[in-house]
Amino acid sequence: MEVLRLEDYKNLGFNVRDTFGNYISYYKDGKWDEGKIQKEDTITISAFSTALHYGQQAFEGLKAYRTKDGKINLFRVDENAKRLQNSCDQILMPKVPTEKFIDAIKQVVKVNEELVPPYGYGASLYIRPYVIGVGRNLGVKAAPEYIFGVLCSPVGSYFKGGLSPVNFVVTDRDRAAPNGTGQVKVGGNYAASLYSHRQAKEAGYADCIYLDPLTHTKIDEVGAANFFAVTKDMTFVTPSSSSILPSITKKSLMHIAKEYLNMNVEVRDVYINNLDEFSEAGACGTAAAITPIGRIDYHNQQHVFYSETEVGPVTRKLYDTLTGIYFGDIKAPEGWITQL
Ligand code: PLP
Ligand code: COI
């Protein structure tokens, strides 16, 4: 087992690290078993499993944060439970009841308590619940059996630089269809994103930006994160779209913008040819937290928001409030934090 020194927590990146165990539960004959913690992060399944051939699988992502007084905070875990239920519903998998979901996450965090990074390093324990269709199956149909599991790993920033601005390029490819599975967290959307992600990375960008798949005129998402921007008159704007994942971070930022920062909030179209209306922009998500967007390149145009090197004042306030809530330094709205 790899031992992390305090120094290591500053540069964890977003990688798999050794842990003390993960959770696994099987669904057979129409019901979930009790589930248990296992040591190895391996599973044995039939190679005929629908998860492997037809992408019948869904996952979630959330984090556990260490507070100043050494406690552990889970952020809006009930929202992840709900979203996983919706994902399961959309691809014909049995739902994991909310209590089972939360209990599994608590068990995993408990067994890996020592791996929740210390307060003050900007790091956290990333938690990865998943549901996969398993069992022997050949035709395109729902699997006979399922596994619900929860993995974890201590992580730092998803995009290099933490709160430093990074640049993105608009891709001509789509990750999801207008009436497809963009709104749920299923593996197919991520397989569809690998090619454009690599193209963007190879061209020196942090990731790519997807436009709406129907008209290719409006911003949809920023890689594996949602997009937000701030207008010159302090309105928090985020795209309205049927093909993006409903981000829990975005939903939380909308509340923070309105209730903590006294801003207006608008969910509406964000035209790629009208970025001048914004003074700041960013990517938001569990893994990304808030990542300021320095510049967006689109065909031959380059658009710089606040700065390519400095974070804008509103983005910083949003970041400080959100992370203050995560780490227990700022009072959270009722029900947002589950303490272990
Ligand atoms: N969009 C995509 C495609 C994602 O994978 C994620 C990550 O979960 C998000 C947005 C952000 O969602 P959340 O804030 O719930 O983590
Ligand atoms: C998250 O933010 O939790 C994600 O799932 C993003 C990515 C690592 C898939």
Side-chain angles (χ1 to χ4, degrees):
M1 173 106 184
E2 150 200 50
V3 178
L4 292 169
R5 294 161 306 154
L6 272 184
E7 272 301 292
D8 298 329
Y9 286 108
K10 287 187 193 146
N11 290 305
L12 279 179
F14 196 80
N15 303 299
V16 174
R17 311 256 167 192
D18 294 344
T19 67
F20 293 103
N22 60 91
Y23 173 93
I24 188 152
S25 175
Y26 291 87
Y27 184 92
K28 278 184 196 151
D29 304 323
K31 57 179 190 302
W32 291 107
D33 73 7
E34 234 201 281
K36 61 168 199 264
I37 294 290
Q38 61 173 19
K39 175 83 192 68
E40 303 300 329
D41 57 18
T42 49
I43 49 176
T44 301
I45 59 173
S46 165
F48 283 107
S49 292
T50 58
L52 301 179
H53 301 251
Y54 304 132
Q56 198 193 18
Q57 63 88 253
F59 66 99
E60 271 303 323
L62 68 158
K63 284 175 171 172
Y65 305 88
R66 179 80 65 186
T67 65
K68 209 180 223 161
D69 58 0
K71 303 236 166 60
I72 296 173
N73 279 355
L74 292 171
F75 184 72
R76 308 197 77 172
V77 57
D78 55 320
E79 290 284 338
N80 293 95
K82 247 194 282 174
R83 192 169 63 188
L84 182 62
Q85 288 161 4
N86 193 35
S87 298
C88 287
D89 223 21
Q90 292 299 306
I91 56 166
L92 305 188
M93 301 199 294
K95 292 183 199 169
V96 178
T98 302
E99 311 82 77
K100 184 177 179 70
F101 181 87
I102 296 177
D103 173 61
I105 283 165
K106 284 184 172 170
Q107 286 191 44
V108 169
V109 176
K110 196 95 204 128
V111 78
N112 292 293
E113 211 167 340
E114 283 175 45
L115 299 178
V116 180
Y119 174 85
Y121 287 79
S124 53
L125 186 74
Y126 185 77
I127 304 164
R128 170 54 60 81
Y130 65 91
V131 178
I132 58 175
V134 299
R136 306 183 84 199
N137 175 75
L138 200 53
V140 181
K141 61 173 191 281
E145 295 175 1
Y146 295 85
I147 287 175
F148 162 52
V150 181
L151 303 157
C152 70
S153 181
V155 298
S157 328
Y158 186 68
F159 291 116
K160 250 202 191 97
L163 196 57
S164 311
V166 288
N167 297 337
F168 294 88
V169 62
V170 175
T171 176
D172 290 328
R173 298 171 72 102
D174 301 317
R175 66 179 278 283
N179 296 313
T181 54
Q183 284 193 9
V184 289
K185 206 161 166 61
V186 297
N189 299 338
Y190 296 82
S193 76
L194 293 175
Y195 195 99
S196 38
H197 174 75
R198 191 173 68 183
Q199 278 186 318
K201 292 291 281 186
E202 283 178 355
Y205 299 93
D207 207 335
C208 62
I209 289 192
Y210 294 96
L211 299 181
D212 72 290
L214 195 60
T215 69
H216 274 219
T217 57
K218 300 172 273 183
I219 290 186
D220 237 10
E221 291 206 79
V222 190
N226 274 184
F227 175 87
F228 73 88
V230 178
T231 63
K232 289 164 187 149
D233 64 357
M234 285 289 283
T235 301
F236 179 96
V237 178
T238 188
S240 153
S241 167
S242 65
S243 46
I244 65 175
L245 190 77
S247 157
I248 297 161
T249 316
K250 188 256 309 275
K251 186 175 172 181
S252 307
L253 285 176
M254 286 164 62
H255 182 88
I256 287 170
K258 188 160 183 286
E259 304 298 333
Y260 289 62
L261 306 182
N262 219 3
M263 297 171 71
N264 299 316
V265 172
E266 287 177 4
V267 181
R268 61 156 162 95
D269 293 337
V270 173
Y271 288 93
I272 190 68
N273 277 327
N274 194 24
L275 297 179
D276 280 342
E277 60 173 330
F278 304 117
S279 51
E280 297 178 37
C284 64
T286 299
I290 289 184
T291 302
I293 300 179
R295 194 181 84 224
I296 292 180
D297 290 358
Y298 173 53
H299 294 159
N300 294 324
Q301 301 161 32
Q302 295 196 327
H303 185 91
V304 176
F305 290 94
Y306 184 74
S307 150
E308 280 185 61
T309 51
E310 305 289 320
V311 53
V314 183
T315 306
R316 181 175 290 282
K317 271 192 214 152
L318 289 164
Y319 178 89
D320 287 345
T321 313
L322 180 69
T323 54
I325 291 173
Y326 287 162
F327 291 100
D329 296 328
I330 293 178
K331 191 172 172 357
E334 188 70 31
W336 280 21
I337 297 291
T338 303
Q339 203 158 68
L340 248 77

